[in-house]
């Protein structure tokens, strides 16, 4: 399973770039989902990298969710805020 200690998402609120770091290489899928459940960004994590950055500069201000998952379909969802 994925635990909140396995990753860090910052800054939150974000304006242009969202950085996600992981301590567990199991986490390898990143999605940004709107408040109404639409998948906006979907990324496969680069192998071996502990950090990924998402461009959120084109998103409207508001609440979004970051879903981190692994190949076993374990996932965890974290709320983020985009600020303009």
């Amino acid at each position: 399973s994925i635990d909140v200690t396995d990753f860090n998402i910052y800054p939150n609120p974000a304006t242009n770039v969202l950085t996600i770091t992981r301590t567990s290489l199991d986490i390898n899928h990143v999605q940004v989902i709107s408040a109404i459940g639409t998948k906006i960004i979907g990324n496969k994590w680069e192998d071996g990298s502990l950090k990924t950055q998402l461009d959120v500069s084109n998103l409207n201000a508001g609440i979004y969710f970051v879903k981190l998952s692994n190949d076993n379909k374990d996932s965890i969802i974290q709320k983020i805020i985009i600020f303009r």
Side-chain angles (χ1 to χ4, degrees):
S1 68
I2 300 173
D3 192 78
V4 291
T5 58
D6 293 336
F7 64 91
N8 193 14
I9 299 173
Y10 61 92
N12 189 9
T15 49
N16 295 319
V17 176
L18 190 68
T19 300
I20 304 170
T21 59
R22 63 179 176 175
T23 56
S24 166
L25 293 178
D26 281 351
I27 299 171
N28 55 6
H29 298 279
V30 179
Q31 293 179 359
V32 176
I33 302 164
S34 73
I36 57 167
T38 310
K39 186 173 117 180
I40 300 168
I41 300 171
N43 251 2
K44 189 144 170 55
W45 211 295
E46 292 168 30
D47 287 342
S49 168
L50 292 177
K51 182 166 98 170
T52 190
Q53 293 188 307
L54 304 178
D55 179 1
V56 294
S57 59
N58 58 343
L59 299 184
N60 293 326
I63 294 172
Y64 296 83
F65 297 93
V66 174
K67 180 179 180 182
L68 301 173
S69 55
N70 62 22
D71 287 335
N72 296 331
K73 305 294 182 232
D74 294 323
S75 64
I76 193 165
I77 294 178
Q78 202 80 354
K79 183 170 85 171
I80 60 162
I81 295 169
I82 303 298
F83 184 74
R84 294 280 165 254

